[in-house]
Amino acid sequence: MPANFGAEHINLSSVQFTPELLRCIPVDLVRKFRVVPVSQFATQVSIAMADPTDLNAVDALAHHFNRLVYIYVADEGEVDAFIQLLYGTGRRI
């Protein structure tokens, strides 16, 4: 498992996923970068990912949002399970 680089660990079952939150990241980016949105504010979006060292993902998401991206670390299996649970196969939110 990669080092957390100071990112706080999060249990995704503690997050309240709303349709608005789920729509804040396009499904293709969720699947491509294996991330789950955790919260969003006017100046910041928080995401959970298994590998906080994936700077390509962080940079692409920061560019997409044009705001600060705060990273949480979640277990890889949990991230994959929540992507499947929340977005399903080909499902649009």
Side-chain angles (χ1 to χ4, degrees), residues 27-92:
V27 175
D28 58 327
L29 294 180
V30 166
R31 290 194 172 105
K32 178 179 182 177
F33 296 122
R34 294 173 65 205
V35 298
V36 177
V38 172
S39 65
Q40 66 172 334
F41 302 98
T43 60
Q44 174 182 311
V45 175
S46 298
I47 61 167
M49 60 192 313
D51 182 7
T53 66
D54 186 350
L55 299 181
N56 289 330
V58 174
D59 287 345
L61 291 167
H63 179 73
H64 169 76
F65 290 116
N66 196 29
R67 51 187 157 160
L68 178 67
V69 175
Y70 185 84
I71 305 297
Y72 285 97
V73 176
D75 296 325
E76 184 175 14
E78 186 180 29
V79 170
D80 291 340
F82 269 81
I83 290 172
Q84 181 63 33
L85 174 71
L86 297 168
Y87 297 93
T89 303
R91 182 173 154 210
R92 293 268 176 207

Side-chain angles (χ1 to χ4, degrees), residues 10-17 21 36-39 82:
I10 191 167
N11 180 335
L12 293 177
S13 5
S14 68
V15 177
Q16 183 176 354
F17 293 101
L21 178 61
V36 177
V38 172
S39 65
F82 269 81

